[in-house]
Amino acid sequence: MNAKMPRINKKFYYCLVSCLLITLIGILISIFYMLKSQNTKVSSEQAVATNSLVSNEKAIKKDLNGDGKDDILYISTKNNKYYIEVHSSGKTLFLDPDKKIGTVGMYSSFWPMNIALVDLSRDKIPEVLVQSSQDKIPIQHVFSYVNGEYKDVYFGSNNVLGILDSKNNKTPKLISMNLKSQDMNVSQYILIRDSFKKVSSETLSIPGLQNVLLFIDTIESSGEIDSNYDIFTADIDKDSMSIIGKLDKKNYIYEFQDAFFADSKWDEQGLPTELQWTLNFKKVIAQGIGDPSQIKIKINLMKEGTKFNINSIKIQKN
């Protein structure tokens, strides 16, 4: 005699199916938001220029000619003089400085070269931005890949390089200025084909610049943070604020050398809402004993109302 299969209750069946569907929808929603969060993080990180400190030798791997393959940007020194070259598809391309300046800088333990790779022309080929020094004078270069070779399209001796509109819907702008000059010697450029065009700086406003200057003053001063300096966000974390105290300014003296900045987030109109600055300071023992060194402090500025205040401080390691 054949055994009868138990009859499944329809209500139980519909309830089971409903639970499975709700669970599946919940999983899909979780995956969606997880992917969205990851994509947002990647976009934020990619918005900031590739930035690297160079001691006396370094190799940086990145596609430098737009062919989709990684090339090698190699920086070396000979007799403390920096040399830069690119190894690509079996060829060696030299980044030679303009003859008017004749150098990309000299190696110094307290003022090493800094390299930033930024696509200023939006052609998927990054320009090579160089900051270094020689005889205690800052040096700036911008090299662009033109017709199979690198051209020194900009050079100068200011102590700040910056990028505005780095990844939004506007034309990227190169900013060069000198924070130690009374008028700051601010210049603004856009890259057209293989040359920079200087544009008017009369209406140029660098978001949060005044707070950056006050922060530099805070690091260079021997005392504590001036209570009149309203330069931090209300929710800045304790770890960030503790960095200033850990500088041990009773035993060390800090002197600003140069800086690099770029905007990293924007609103719907393409206006910046956040910027990142990397500030380089010479660090000297107050008693004058020992060799000086360099410390790199990275700060993030976030828009609060009409102001840009500092919401993060980090010591950047090499």
Side-chain angles (χ1 to χ4, degrees):
M1 186 174 179
N2 295 332
K4 292 183 178 180
M5 295 292 293
R7 182 178 294 177
I8 299 176
N9 187 286
K10 288 185 178 181
K11 289 184 178 180
F12 173 78
Y13 175 80
Y14 290 135
C15 183
L16 179 62
V17 172
S18 298
C19 289
L20 289 173
L21 286 173
I22 291 172
T23 303
L24 180 61
I25 291 171
I27 293 172
L28 291 174
I29 291 174
S30 298
I31 293 173
F32 171 79
Y33 280 105
M34 187 183 299
L35 292 174
K36 184 177 180 181
S37 174
Q38 290 177 347
N39 288 337
T40 301
K41 182 178 180 182
V42 170
S43 298
S44 175
E45 291 173 349
Q46 290 177 343
V48 182
T50 301
N51 193 294
S52 183
L53 179 69
V54 180
S55 53
N56 58 350
E57 186 176 16
K58 189 158 191 170
I60 301 171
K61 183 183 290 187
K62 191 175 178 67
D63 179 12
L64 298 169
N65 58 11
D67 65 357
K69 300 177 182 178
D70 280 341
D71 306 300
I72 302 295
L73 178 67
Y74 181 63
I75 304 99
S76 61
T77 58
K78 184 177 181 180
N79 297 326
N80 283 337
K81 186 176 182 179
Y82 278 114
Y83 294 90
I84 310 174
E85 57 193 60
V86 169
H87 299 267
S88 176
S89 302
K91 297 180 180 179
T92 300
L93 306 174
F94 296 96
L95 280 66
D96 294 324
D98 190 284
K99 292 180 180 179
K100 293 178 182 178
I101 189 169
T103 179
V104 291
M106 299 289 288
Y107 168 71
S108 168
S109 60
F110 60 86
W111 201 338
M113 177 182 286
N114 195 73
I115 294 282
L117 303 176
V118 189
D119 185 4
L120 295 172
S121 55
R122 298 278 172 86
D123 60 356
K124 298 183 180 180
I125 300 175
E127 275 61 50
V128 181
L129 281 62
V130 179
Q131 288 178 277
S132 57
S133 68
Q134 184 161 322
D135 300 326
K136 299 181 180 180
I137 297 175
I139 291 175
Q140 300 176 340
H141 287 278
V142 178
F143 292 94
S144 187
Y145 185 72
V146 181
N147 298 325
E149 61 181 11
Y150 280 92
K151 180 180 178 182
D152 192 1
V153 294
Y154 171 81
F155 59 89
S157 57
N158 283 336
N159 58 19
V160 175
L161 268 182
I163 310 296
L164 291 178
D165 301 319
S166 61
K167 288 276 186 177
N168 58 7
N169 56 0
K170 301 180 181 180
T171 302
K173 299 171 184 64
L174 176 77
I175 312 298
S176 177
M177 58 184 174
N178 193 332
L179 298 188
K180 292 186 177 181
S181 173
Q182 188 172 1
D183 61 358
M184 293 195 185
N185 192 28
V186 181
S187 297
Q188 180 179 203
Y189 304 87
I190 57 175
L191 185 60
I192 300 177
R193 295 180 182 176
D194 58 350
S195 62
F196 271 112
K197 178 183 178 182
K198 190 173 184 178
V199 294
S200 174
S201 301
E202 291 182 2
T203 59
L204 175 64
S205 176
I206 300 172
L209 178 59
Q210 188 59 37
N211 281 352
V212 173
L213 294 173
L214 291 175
F215 181 81
I216 292 173
D217 182 64
T218 297
I219 301 302
E220 289 187 324
S221 68
S222 57
E224 300 297 324
I225 300 175
D226 192 320
S227 58
N228 294 320
Y229 287 1
D230 182 22
I231 62 176
F232 304 105
T233 59
D235 60 349
I236 187 170
D237 60 279
K238 293 181 180 179
D239 290 340
S240 289
M241 294 303 295
S242 68
I243 287 175
I244 299 176
K246 292 178 181 178
L247 293 177
D248 189 14
K249 290 191 285 183
K250 291 182 179 179
N251 294 307
Y252 293 95
I253 298 171
Y254 296 88
E255 179 186 350
F256 173 75
Q257 293 178 311
D258 62 14
F260 177 83
F261 74 89
D263 47 4
S264 56
K265 290 184 180 180
W266 307 265
D267 61 19
E268 294 178 353
Q269 286 73 43
L271 299 174
T273 58
E274 289 193 28
L275 295 93
Q276 291 185 355
W277 280 73
T278 301
L279 306 166
N280 301 317
F281 294 88
K282 179 181 177 181
K283 180 180 179 181
V284 182
I285 299 175
Q287 291 79 11
I289 303 171
D291 295 327
S293 59
Q294 186 189 66
I295 182 171
K296 296 172 71 71
I297 301 179
K298 191 171 185 177
I299 60 175
N300 193 81
L301 287 90
M302 183 176 68
K303 188 176 183 180
E304 286 190 324
T306 58
K307 292 182 60 180
F308 280 79
N309 290 330
I310 299 169
N311 70 332
S312 174
I313 307 170
K314 294 180 180 179
I315 300 294
Q316 183 171 320
K317 298 181 180 179
N318 298 353

